[in-house]
Structure formats: structure tokens, C-alpha cells
Amino acid sequence: MPEYLLPDVGEGLTEAEIVSWKVKVGDTVAINDIVCEIETAKSIVELPSPFAGVVSAILAPEGETIPVGTPIVAIGDDAAAEGGAAPATPEPAAAAEMEIDLSNPAASGSAEGESLVGRMKADRGPTRRARRVPSGSVAAHMQTQAAFETGESPMVEADELEPAVPASNQRSELEPAAARALAKPPVRKLAKDLGVDLATLEATGPNGSISREDVERAAATVAEARGAPATSLEARRGERETREEIKGVRKMMAGAMVQSAFTAPHVTEWVTLDATATVEFVERLKKRREFRDVKVSPLLVLARAVMLAMRRTPVINSYWDEAAQQVVLKSYVNLGIAAATPRGLVVPNIKDAQEMSLLELATALGELTGVAREGKTQPADMSGGTFTITNVGVFGVDAGTPIINPGESAILCFGAIRKQPWVVDDEIVIRQVTTLALSFDHRHIDGESGSRFLSDVAGMVEDPASSLLF
């Protein structure tokens, strides 16, 4: 019975966390049906199935971080699930050539099919048929555990399991670490939060499972042995300190920011300007028929201004190649928009934004931010950025000194637009005022280039009609 190994989704992945399962034991899946979501160092990725058949076992629980190449789910055909003959294992050559159908939108995690996620690789090694596993073995335990977590009865008797095990990844049926205690995912999380080892507990729950009370009882025993008061998860929430593991998107972001801050000499310049004309222009755009189905905001005008200002100062859209000792100028703009998500900051980018009309740019911005908020941004959508805008104004912040994304040379910070007193023709009037802050790499972008670019962008935000001059 084939086991689906955690794939490298095309970004040099070494490990990933299982976020959620989209199937359960007994479900019938087709090739390219989404089986689970994983969190990589960059984003949440949906994994499609490379096999068709019935799910016989979930081999990796939600919340567990596992290395690439680890079996995550066993999938067989209907006959095998009903106790019939096990399906023939694909020959190594055939398995190596089996690819996910990229024409299937489900394979990309979105209706439009925005990214590809992986294939069966020849370097995973040949597979061979494992011998029958007796009842009470590791495989039988995994089967029972998977069925228990989904609330169903096991579909296959333990002595009928005959999984195809990669020759390079076989596990001894006597290996103690492979057999996990029987417990539902919420109980596992509680045990992790309280620092309780499930393997040491005596199960009193249904079907020999470990219950919530078993975990809390063990936590209380440990606390009493240490002379400390017993604590439950609810009590821990009132503690003066809590610790949160750094992983996934947050870990990647932290590493990237440290690398950028200590390799590229940052310079930041500010300009405060009257954005009243942009605010009025946005209101007019909202009333136009072609813009009724897209979100229109001052960010759209700023993004368009950035595209145009780069024509006069192309060095802004470049990067410093330290290894080659060269400055790489780019004739295309992959415009990144920094987005805050529940899992951390991500910077997806709009490919070839310089070729888009205002309407096309508005549509792309809406799709990009919507996918990012849902945590569904794919790795391909975050690679290859050339320039970034971070819109701190949505948080009511006036300005900042943003750190340049690795591989880029500049980032523009867009502050909040507020009604403020402003001098117009020697008179104080109320205007819509905002601040722009540009951070750039001072190794190859000098003050004159940075200032000219920032001034050009500010000029178009003050007077959108001036964009006709570029």
C-alpha cells in the first residue's frame, strides 16, 4: 500500500509542520485531491495526493514538525480497504515518473491554479512490499490511532495491512518511538503545553485512549513532586511569562531581517505631503463602472506611482550581488506588498507589475492581499521580489524605518493618511496628509538617486495627474 512521503515543495524545504488534515481514514481520494495543509518556512501549502484510493492510515498528527521524506499518509485502493488483495506497488521507474496533474486547480491550492507543489521523485529510492504485520505492531497501532483521531472505526484489520515501505526508510516493528500513545489531537496539544510525555501515562479513556483527565493528573503529580502548585492549561494562561516556539514563517522572517540589517547599509529618508488629491481621485475611481468589483485605495495610486518613478531612477529596482561584485539592474518589477498574517509577516509580490494598467494592478492587489490574509500564499508568490511597499498606515502608524528584503535594494513605507492643518497659498487649511519613508541600500544607491525617486513618488501622490509626465 503506497505511503505518501512529505515532498520538497520546490523551495529547498527540509521540514514542515502538519497544520491540518483534509481527509480521514476511510475517505476515498483521487489523484490531486488535497489531503493536508503544511506550514513551511514561508507559507501554508496544500498538498495534493499522488495516489488514488482509500486512506488507510494517517501517519503524522496535526501540529507535528517532520522532515522531508517522512511518510505522512497511507493510501490504497478500494479492494485493499475492504480486505481484498493489496494493490500492486508501482515499479520504481513508474513511481519516479508519476507527476501531479498541474492542470487540476486543486493541485495549486486555489481555483486559479496559482502554484505547483511537487511530484514523485526518483531520488526517493525504490519501494518494495513489506511483509505482513502482526496485530499489535507499529503499523496496526498507527491504523488504530488514525481511526481514533477521526472518530471512526478502523477500516482494515491489523493483520491485513501490507504497506509499501521505501527500502531506505523502513522502520523496525520493535522500534519503541514509532508506536505513539492513543490520544486525540486536543489531548496531544494539552500534553505538549503541560510538558507531559504521553508514552508514560496509563490510559483510562475509551478504547484504551489517553484522556484529558489522564494528562492533567500527570501534570499535577509532577508539580507536587517538585513542590510547586498543580497547574492546568487554564491556570497557565494567567502566568507572568509564556513561551512561544519560533518556527515556520516567523523563523524565516527573523532570519531574513537579521541577514538584511547586518549586510546592507540602510539609509532612510522621509517626506510628508498633502495627499488630498489622491484621496479625491480614489473616490472618483470607486464610482467608475470598471472599478466597482475591485478594491480601490490610496495604496493603488502609490503602487502605480512607484512603477512610473522607477523609469527615471532604475537603480532603485536592482540588487547588490556580493559574490559577483556586481549591481544587477532589472527591467521588470515584481512588486512586493508586506502583509501581516496570523502566522507572521509575508511579502507576496505581483509579477511584472510594470506592465499592468491601473485596473489590472487593482485586481492583482486585491487577490494578493486576500490570499495572504487567509494564510494561503504559496512560496512561488513570495520569491523573486524586486521592490516592496509596506503599508503601516492601516495600523494608524505615521512612518517607520523598514528593513530591506533580501535580494532587493529598497522598500517604501506608506504611513496613515490623516486630516491635518496644512499651509496652502499662505493660508492654514485642513488637508489629507501622509508620510512616505524610503529605506535603500547605500552601497550602490546614493542620496541623490534615493531622494529623486522619493520626490517623484511623492509628487504623483500629491497630484495624480502629474503621472502623465512620466
Side-chain angles (χ1 to χ4, degrees):
M1 184 174 299
E3 289 181 340
Y4 184 10
L5 310 184
L6 178 66
D8 178 349
V9 293
E11 51 174 319
L13 184 71
T14 59
E15 64 179 15
E17 177 186 345
I18 303 295
V19 176
S20 64
W21 282 101
K22 303 302 181 183
V23 296
K24 59 182 181 296
V25 172
D27 284 354
T28 300
V29 297
I31 291 177
N32 289 327
D33 282 354
I34 300 301
V35 294
C36 70
E37 289 182 329
I38 63 171
E39 180 178 9
T40 72
K42 292 186 176 180
S43 65
I44 298 293
V45 177
E46 293 181 328
L47 294 185
S49 173
F51 307 111
V54 176
V55 176
S56 61
I58 302 294
L59 306 179
E62 293 181 358
E64 184 171 302
T65 299
I66 58 176
V68 167
T70 301
I72 58 175
V73 61
I75 302 174
D77 63 11
D78 294 329
E82 294 169 0
T89 304
E91 294 296 326
E97 295 174 359
M98 187 181 298
E99 295 189 9
I100 292 169
D101 179 9
L102 298 179
S103 65
N104 187 340
S108 67
S110 67
E112 293 78 20
E114 295 171 344
S115 80
L116 65 92
V117 284
R119 57 171 290 177
M120 294 296 293
K121 297 183 179 178
D123 59 4
R124 288 177 181 160
T127 61
R128 65 179 178 83
R129 182 75 58 195
R131 61 188 175 86
R132 291 189 178 274
V133 183
S135 179
S137 67
V138 172
H141 177 84
M142 288 180 173
Q143 170 81 358
T144 306
Q145 169 67 33
F148 175 73
E149 290 181 356
T150 59
E152 297 187 359
S153 300
M155 297 292 292
V156 185
E157 294 297 328
D159 59 359
E160 293 177 345
L161 291 174
E162 196 173 50
V165 182
S168 61
N169 195 32
Q170 294 182 55
R171 307 177 203 172
S172 167
E173 63 183 82
L174 299 178
E175 182 183 352
R180 297 180 292 109
L182 193 64
K184 290 187 176 181
V187 176
R188 291 185 178 280
K189 185 177 186 305
L190 174 63
K192 182 179 179 181
D193 291 336
L194 297 181
V196 174
D197 184 359
L198 291 176
T200 64
L201 302 187
E202 179 181 354
T204 63
N207 301 319
S209 64
I210 294 174
S211 67
R212 182 183 184 91
E213 290 71 23
D214 294 335
V215 174
E216 292 185 337
R217 189 183 307 113
T221 301
V222 172
E224 291 172 1
R226 295 175 179 172
T231 59
S232 64
L233 180 59
E234 289 73 16
R236 285 170 61 103
R237 290 174 182 156
E239 291 182 356
R240 291 169 62 85
E241 293 183 359
T242 57
R243 291 178 178 265
E244 183 176 306
E245 185 178 354
I246 300 173
K247 59 183 179 179
V249 174
R250 285 189 174 90
K251 186 174 182 179
M252 182 277 297
M253 177 188 69
M257 293 299 97
V258 170
Q259 176 191 357
S260 177
F262 291 99
T263 56
H266 285 54
V267 170
T268 304
E269 295 183 346
W270 294 265
V271 59
T272 300
L273 55 102
D274 178 3
T276 304
T278 282
V279 173
E280 294 172 348
F281 178 56
V282 165
E283 292 304 314
R284 291 198 299 272
L285 284 179
K286 290 179 179 178
K287 297 176 182 178
R288 294 185 64 90
R289 182 173 54 193
E290 59 266 42
F291 283 90
R292 287 177 182 173
D293 296 329
V294 297
K295 181 179 180 179
V296 181
S297 71
L299 177 62
L300 172 63
V301 180
L302 179 68
R304 183 60 178 167
V306 165
M307 299 299 101
L308 297 173
M310 282 180 179
R311 295 178 181 178
R312 281 221 308 168
T313 316
V315 71
I316 293 293
N317 192 48
S318 66
Y319 80 94
W320 177 282
D321 188 336
E322 180 67 27
Q325 288 295 292
Q326 295 175 336
V327 173
V328 182
L329 298 169
K330 299 184 177 182
S331 58
Y332 61 93
V333 183
N334 289 344
L335 179 63
I337 304 294
T341 73
R343 295 182 177 272
L345 181 71
V346 298
V347 188
N349 60 77
I350 300 171
K351 311 296 184 187
D352 293 313
Q354 81 286 350
E355 297 180 355
M356 294 183 176
S357 66
L358 198 61
L359 178 58
E360 292 170 336
L361 192 57
T363 302
L365 280 170
E367 293 174 351
L368 178 147
T369 54
V371 172
R373 288 193 195 99
E374 295 173 359
K376 302 293 186 181
T377 303
Q378 301 300 302
D381 297 328
M382 291 186 286
S383 63
T386 64
F387 182 89
T388 296
I389 297 174
T390 176
N391 185 12
V392 301
V394 296
F395 305 107
V397 176
D398 293 327
T401 56
I403 297 176
I404 304 166
N405 284 322
E408 302 178 14
S409 290
I411 180 171
L412 184 64
C413 179
F414 187 19
I417 298 178
R418 306 179 188 277
K419 289 184 177 181
Q420 296 181 23
W422 196 258
V423 177
V424 178
D425 297 329
D426 294 330
E427 294 184 1
I428 298 177
V429 295
I430 301 298
R431 307 291 284 178
Q432 302 277 6
V433 178
T434 189
T435 298
L436 302 178
L438 178 73
S439 292
F440 53 89
D441 187 340
H442 211 12
R443 288 177 295 184
H444 62 291
I445 302 178
D446 57 29
E448 188 270 340
S449 297
S451 299
R452 180 174 63 242
F453 173 80
L454 185 59
S455 178
D456 285 344
V457 173
M460 282 181 273
V461 174
E462 285 184 317
D463 180 14
S466 65
S467 63
L468 296 175
L469 302 174
F470 287 81

